[in-house]
């Protein structure tokens, strides 16, 4: 049942308020060291938390130092899904993993969330494992919880609404209750090991009400939220039934972060519709005495590392294989999850139009679409898949030759290294989401280019990345002719212009990388707490003794 191996014993349960963690590393497979998530020995007396019982959690336990931890504040990252590194398995480094690792670099930290497993057994405590100085703490969900919270409200309602697709939402009261219930479960489990000086950073739309639940359990910690996906305008947000219980719950965070200024401003407009809400400073709002700051923090990538990876990958046998398979064709690349927000159909239609109006390019260019399947549960998934495969078949049938296939279509994940090599080999990246919080593929493509001979990025104006990557050819994915024209321009772009466009984008990403994102966010979160008198008043209020 466990996603990772337990060495020599099952995890030690210490009672409702302490959880066991297992240290693995150089001595894996021999003796495992058990300790509480607070860094204390498993056998020692547990420290009651300020949980539903209202007791204060102690901090600064000297035994933490003895076990190699830190007495400083811990950073607790909470996300729906936790990617626990599996021993012996290659881990796919998606955007979330890279973001969490950047935030936890040089910090003592815990990554808490769902294990990805369905289990009907109600357990009081998360399972934890420590790898490379990060403690992973995971819980399972029951089938019903998973259906209502994840498949239900998060995937079928919040995801489409926040991506401006009101038409796709499938709301039900049962899912709404399930979503709130699972958020309460997360809060209960997290509450059990939260220390008074922990800093909590919650990721994404699955967990919007979490701060409210933690506050209800007496936690006064700095708690921040970051929305990885877009935030739709006010009128669209208000199509969510009982939106105050979910979107309104963001006012229990000290800081609510968004990908772009546009997303932030959309949420600001929503905040001002909450009865009694007022703006107290330019980006700070007060609701029922609580203050919430909002901000734009564009997520990014490990730019320098990615550029190095791509340089090396370009010399790999895999890259050679791809180059050889192209037999002199120019390469246009699309990399996305097969998801209705990513504009895959629009991309195929634009490529179709490009070949139609530019017959001189036939047999000289190939579109490679790499679309691994995830979030396969979303409604319309099979509809999209059918539409995409039918369209690709039509284009390949119409223009293809025995010796040339216009569109290559791959439904598989690749390692980061392999993907970086493909980016580097591509003359053009066609990144055309209909709506995207950021879009890391666009940033990875820029980082992976050879600065002396870079490719061209064609980017949808509706990706958050468009606000930063101004050297791209920015297109409206709904305007097929314009995308086809941009594609033609990109393929024929002279070297000096490609360099002129690429250089500043790369420089921007080298500075505004994922580490900078994490630092900027956490600094802003810390700033929201520089009002000690208010905090002590609050503490006194909650602890009358
Ligand atoms: P996504 O929409 O999943 O997440 P996106 O920005 O598109 O994220 O990045 C996808 C990541 O997956 C990239 O790092 C990419 O390299 C990787 N990937 C894609 N195809 C792959 C393949 N075939 N093999 C291996 N890796 C592959 C959400 C929001 C985005 C936001 C991110 C981060 O929807 O708007 O940018 O979070 O905040």
């Amino acid at each position: 049942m466990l996603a990772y191996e337990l060495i020599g014993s099952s995890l030690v349960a210490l009672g409702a308020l302490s959880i066991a963690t297992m240290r693995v590393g150089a001595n894996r497979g021999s003796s495992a060291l058990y300790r509480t998530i607070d860094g204390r020995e498993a056998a020692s007396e547990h420290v009651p938390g300020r949980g539903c019982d209202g007791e204060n959690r102690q901090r600064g336990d000297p035994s933490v130092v003895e076990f190699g931890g830190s007495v400083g504040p811990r950073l607790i990252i909470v996300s729906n899904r936790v990617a626990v590194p599996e021993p012996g398995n290659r881990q796919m480094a998606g955007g979330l993993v890279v973001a969490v690792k950047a935030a936890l670099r040089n910090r003592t930290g815990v990554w808490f969330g769902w294990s990805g497993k369905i289990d009907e057994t109600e357990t009081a405590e998360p399972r934890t494992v420590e790898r490379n100085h990060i403690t992973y703490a995971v819980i399972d969900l029951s089938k019903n919880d998973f259906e209502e919270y994840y498949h239900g409200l998060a995937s079928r309602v919040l995801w489409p609404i926040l991506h401006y697709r009101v038409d796709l939402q499938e709301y039900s009261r049962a899912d709404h209750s399930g979503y709130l219930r699972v958020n309460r479960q997360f809060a209960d489990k997290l509450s059990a090991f939260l220390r008074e000086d922990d800093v909590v950073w919650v990721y994404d739309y699955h967990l919007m009400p979490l701060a409210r639940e933690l506050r209800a359990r007496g936690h006064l910690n700095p708690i921040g939220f970051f929305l990885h996906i877009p935030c739709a305008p006010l009128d669209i947000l208000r199509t969510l039934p009982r939106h105050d219980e979910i979107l309104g719950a963001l006012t229990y965070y000290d800081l609510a972060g968004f990908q772009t200024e546009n997303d932030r401003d959309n949420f600001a407009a929503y905040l001002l519709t909450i009865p009694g809400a007022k703006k107290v400073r330019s980006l700070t709002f007060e609701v029922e005495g609580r203050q919430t700051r909002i901000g734009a923090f564009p997520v990014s990538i490990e730019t320098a590392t990615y550029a190095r990876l791509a340089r090396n990958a370009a010399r790999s046998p895999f890259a050679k294989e791809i180059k050889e398979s192209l037999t002199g064709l120019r390469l246009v690349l699309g990399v996305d999850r097969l998801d209705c927000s990513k504009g895959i159909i629009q991309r195929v239609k634009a490529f179709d139009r490009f070949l139609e109006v530019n017959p001189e390019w036939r047999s000289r260019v190939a579109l490679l679409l790499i679309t691994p399947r995830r979030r396969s549960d979303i409604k319309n998934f099979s509809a999209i898949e059918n539409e995409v495969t039918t369209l690709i078949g039509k284009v390949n049938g119409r223009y293809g030759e025995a010796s040339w296939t216009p569109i290559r279509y791959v439904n598989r994940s690749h390692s980061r290294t392999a993907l970086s090599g493909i980016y580097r080999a591509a003359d053009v990246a066609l990144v055309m989401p209909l709506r995207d919080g950021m879009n890391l593929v666009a940033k990875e493509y820029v980082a992976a280019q050879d600065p002396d001979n870079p490719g061209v990025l064609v980017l949808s104006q509706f990706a958050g990345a468009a606000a930063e990557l101004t050297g791209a050819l920015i297109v409206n994915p709904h305007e097929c002719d314009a995308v086809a024209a941009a594609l033609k321009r990109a393929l024929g772009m002279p070297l000096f212009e490609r360099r002129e466009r690429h250089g500043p984008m790369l420089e921007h990403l080298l500075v505004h990388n994922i580490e900078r994102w994490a630092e900027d966010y956490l600094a802003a979160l810390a700033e929201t707490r520089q009002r000690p008198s208010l905090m002590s008043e609050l503490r006194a209020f909650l602890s009358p003794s």
Side-chain angles (χ1 to χ4, degrees):
M1 179 188 84
L2 294 186
Y4 37 87
E5 142 193 335
L6 300 180
I7 302 161
S9 172
S10 58
L11 291 174
V12 180
L14 287 176
L17 293 172
S18 71
I19 58 176
T21 187
M22 181 175 59
R23 192 158 210 186
V24 292
N27 62 347
R28 253 191 64 230
S30 54
S31 62
L33 169 64
Y34 291 95
R35 63 178 183 165
T36 68
I37 203 162
D38 295 325
R40 292 149 49 83
E41 274 184 291
S44 63
E45 190 190 335
H46 85 250
V47 179
R50 180 197 279 279
C52 304
D53 58 5
E55 279 186 89
N56 266 322
R57 178 160 302 280
Q58 293 178 7
R59 59 171 149 170
D61 188 326
S63 65
V64 174
V65 175
E66 195 184 316
F67 288 101
S70 158
V71 286
R74 300 178 308 177
L75 177 61
I76 314 285
I77 304 248
V78 189
S79 64
N80 164 56
R81 184 69 201 274
V82 171
V84 181
E86 305 277 350
N89 280 1
R90 194 186 62 193
Q91 198 189 12
M92 202 182 114
L96 180 68
V97 178
V98 173
V100 172
K101 291 202 166 153
L104 291 176
R105 192 159 300 141
N106 307 322
R107 289 188 179 87
T108 305
V110 179
W111 185 4
F112 172 77
W114 177 44
S115 63
K117 305 230 168 298
I118 300 294
D119 196 320
E120 302 301 322
T121 329
E122 173 69 23
T123 49
E125 302 152 0
R127 300 190 301 279
T128 71
V129 63
E130 188 177 311
R131 299 248 159 81
N132 300 326
H133 309 294
I134 298 177
T135 301
Y136 298 83
V138 293
I139 56 171
D140 300 332
L141 291 177
S142 73
K143 189 164 188 315
N144 190 41
D145 285 346
F146 175 70
E147 282 304 322
E148 293 178 348
Y149 147 83
Y150 181 82
H151 269 170
L153 201 89
S155 295
R156 293 205 182 99
V157 181
L158 294 177
W159 172 273
I161 288 179
L162 292 165
H163 281 88
Y164 299 54
R165 293 298 304 271
V166 174
D167 55 315
L168 295 182
Q169 76 160 308
E170 290 179 89
Y171 181 85
S172 85
R173 285 191 173 179
D175 290 346
H176 189 119
S177 307
Y179 176 85
L180 297 178
R181 183 177 67 247
V182 172
N183 269 270
R184 285 196 294 275
Q185 280 175 31
F186 266 64
D188 284 338
K189 307 269 160 78
L190 184 53
S191 193
F193 66 84
L194 207 54
R195 291 191 215 143
E196 206 176 54
D197 60 352
D198 286 336
V199 173
V200 183
W201 190 1
V202 178
Y203 284 1
D204 237 356
Y205 57 101
H206 311 89
L207 299 168
M208 287 180 167
L210 190 63
R212 183 180 59 215
E213 295 303 329
L214 290 171
R215 300 289 185 225
R217 287 157 182 75
H219 296 288
L220 299 173
N221 306 54
I223 310 181
F225 175 81
F226 185 77
L227 186 65
H228 284 262
I229 65 174
C231 183
L234 173 62
D235 280 351
I236 292 183
L237 295 181
R238 285 161 66 96
T239 63
L240 172 65
R242 290 156 60 192
H243 50 78
D244 52 319
E245 290 179 8
I246 293 171
L247 301 170
L250 292 186
T251 59
Y252 287 80
Y253 288 91
D254 295 293
L255 175 66
F258 299 87
Q259 297 274 24
T260 64
E261 290 178 4
N262 186 48
D263 297 319
R264 179 199 68 198
D265 294 346
N266 284 341
F267 190 68
Y270 175 81
L271 276 176
L272 288 173
T273 66
I274 296 176
K278 58 177 192 246
K279 196 173 184 171
V280 288
R281 280 184 295 284
S282 73
L283 294 172
T284 305
F285 296 78
E286 192 170 295
V287 180
E288 294 169 351
R290 300 183 301 279
Q291 287 199 357
T292 300
R293 179 172 158 182
I294 60 172
F297 304 90
V299 82
S300 195
I301 58 169
E302 296 171 293
T303 315
T305 309
Y306 209 88
R308 200 168 43 246
L309 202 67
R311 253 193 325 270
N312 295 336
R315 295 191 287 267
S316 70
F318 178 69
K320 266 196 203 127
E321 220 175 276
I322 291 190
K323 283 225 171 83
E324 278 168 20
S325 81
L326 286 171
T327 56
L329 295 173
R330 308 288 297 282
L331 181 62
V332 177
L333 179 67
V335 177
D336 290 291
R337 280 182 294 99
L338 190 54
D339 188 290
C340 59
S341 66
K342 297 291 186 183
I344 297 168
I345 287 160
Q346 286 71 9
R347 217 168 316 182
V348 176
K349 286 184 174 165
F351 192 67
D352 183 1
R353 181 65 53 84
F354 168 75
L355 292 176
E356 182 192 339
V357 297
N358 300 291
E360 72 280 12
W361 275 105
R362 295 180 199 161
S363 296
R364 289 177 56 206
V365 63
L367 170 64
L368 171 59
L369 283 181
I370 303 184
T371 57
R373 288 176 193 160
R374 265 175 40 203
R375 223 174 255 122
S376 51
D377 33 327
I378 282 197
K379 182 200 171 193
N380 288 1
F381 169 78
S382 56
I384 293 174
E385 188 179 35
N386 291 341
E387 200 175 342
V388 170
T389 46
T390 308
L391 263 177
I392 290 175
K394 277 189 185 155
V395 176
N396 283 346
R398 190 175 310 140
Y399 302 109
E401 306 279 350
S403 57
W404 173 58
T405 307
I407 303 180
R408 303 175 180 197
Y409 182 45
V410 180
N411 287 137
R412 152 155 25 106
S413 285
H414 290 79
S415 70
R416 234 156 72 97
T417 311
L419 196 58
S420 71
I422 301 175
Y423 285 142
R424 196 160 171 120
D427 298 282
V428 178
L430 200 46
V431 180
M432 287 190 19
L434 305 181
R435 192 62 63 177
D436 219 335
M438 180 51 57
N439 197 297
L440 297 180
V441 168
K443 293 190 170 181
E444 289 165 355
Y445 179 73
V446 171
Q449 296 310 295
D450 174 358
D452 292 332
N453 185 21
V456 181
L457 174 64
V458 178
L459 179 62
S460 160
Q461 68 188 82
F462 304 119
E468 290 173 86
L469 302 179
T470 48
L473 295 179
I474 304 289
V475 293
N476 179 341
H478 302 288
E479 196 182 355
C480 191
D481 291 310
V483 179
L487 198 47
K488 183 178 183 190
R489 187 170 163 205
L491 284 165
M493 191 178 282
L495 178 61
F496 80 89
E497 186 181 350
R498 283 188 274 130
R499 280 158 71 160
E500 224 169 62
R501 287 174 173 277
H502 173 261
M505 290 197 287
L506 181 61
E507 264 169 45
H508 172 86
L509 291 181
L510 284 167
V511 175
H512 296 273
N513 57 15
I514 188 74
E515 286 84 12
R516 168 85 181 259
W517 169 77
E519 294 309 323
D520 284 355
Y521 183 93
L522 290 169
L525 180 56
E527 259 175 46
T528 63
R529 285 312 186 95
Q530 285 168 359
R531 305 183 59 218
S533 59
L534 176 68
M535 289 313 298
S536 48
E537 277 166 33
L538 269 171
R539 285 211 170 90
F541 173 74
L542 286 161
S543 316
S545 61

